[in-house]
Amino acid sequence: MTDSGPASLVELRFAQAVKADPNRACEVFDETRIGWLGSPADSPKAGVRRYLTDLSLPVRSGAPHLVFKKAAFVDVGAVIASDQRCEIEISWRSATMAPLFPVFAGRLVVSPSEARLEGYYAPPGGDIGLVLDKAFLNIAARGTGRWFLERVIHVIEAEAGPAEPTVEDAGGTTKRSGAV
C-alpha cells in the first residue's frame, strides 16, 4: 500500500493466488447469483448495482476470532469478461454516518491464477484523517480490503470452481472434458 495517488487518497492493492475460470468468476456477480454479497439497495447511478452488506474487519493478532462489522453499501459496476480475466468495478462506503469508515473505489480483477483488488480509499477526516490513517486507521482499510478479497475468492471457488480442463477432439474442436 502506497499513497502515490491524489493527496487525499491512499492506494489499496491486494493480490491472492486462485485457480479460476475468469468467465465463471464473473458469473458470481450476476444479479441472480450475487445474494452472497448482501441485500439489493437503491443505486445512486445507472449501470451500478448496490448491495447493503456487513463489511468485516477481522482482528488477526491476539484475538483471531474477534471480528468488527460495519454496515456498508457495496456498489458493483460494469463486469467485463474475457477468457483471460474478469474485471469488475467495486466501491464501498458506510451505510450510516460513521466518521471513521473509509470510502473505497477500485476494481476486482480475476485471472486464471490470481484475484486482485486494487483502487483507492479516502480516509475519513480530510488532512487530519490522512495523518491518522498513516498512524493507525490504515489497519481498518487494509483489513477490510483483505477480508473482501478473501470473501470473493471463497465464493468463486465454492460457486464457480476452477477452470475445467479442455481437450481437443479428432476434428480439432476444443471441448471441456466431460462435455457431451
Side-chain angles (χ1 to χ4, degrees):
M1 181 181 75
T2 64
D3 50 354
S4 59
S8 61
L9 299 178
V10 179
E11 184 178 19
L12 187 68
R13 181 182 301 255
F14 293 104
Q16 191 168 327
V18 67
K19 289 185 180 181
D21 177 330
N23 284 309
R24 291 178 70 199
C26 277
E27 290 173 5
V28 302
F29 286 90
D30 181 270
E31 65 185 86
T32 62
R33 295 180 63 192
I34 199 167
W36 59 268
L37 187 54
S39 303
D42 291 334
S43 176
K45 296 191 297 188
V48 173
R49 293 174 288 146
R50 175 169 276 186
Y51 298 89
L52 178 60
T53 192
D54 283 333
L55 292 179
S56 294
L57 171 60
V59 178
R60 298 192 187 266
S61 61
H65 299 293
L66 181 60
V67 176
F68 293 104
K69 293 188 177 207
K70 175 66 187 132
F73 290 118
V74 176
D75 293 338
V76 177
V79 176
I80 302 165
S82 73
D83 290 340
Q84 295 304 310
R85 65 193 280 160
C86 171
E87 187 172 326
I88 304 152
E89 295 175 17
I90 298 286
S91 62
W92 60 70
R93 65 182 326 109
S94 175
T96 64
M97 297 300 288
L100 294 178
F101 192 76
V103 174
F104 172 80
R107 63 188 179 155
L108 172 72
V109 179
V110 180
S111 71
S113 62
E114 177 184 76
R116 199 171 62 245
L117 179 67
E118 55 192 20
Y120 291 90
Y121 70 92
D127 290 340
I128 293 171
L130 198 55
V131 171
L132 293 173
D133 182 77
K134 288 180 181 179
F136 67 89
L137 285 181
N138 64 36
I139 294 168
R142 286 192 335 260
T144 301
R146 186 177 298 114
W147 172 84
F148 184 82
L149 182 60
E150 289 172 358
R151 175 78 174 121
V152 167
I153 289 170
H154 173 78
V155 171
I156 288 170
E157 291 176 342
E159 294 192 23
E164 293 181 39
T166 57
V167 293
E168 207 169 281
D169 68 10
T173 305
T174 302
K175 296 181 180 179
R176 298 206 184 270
S177 59
V180 178

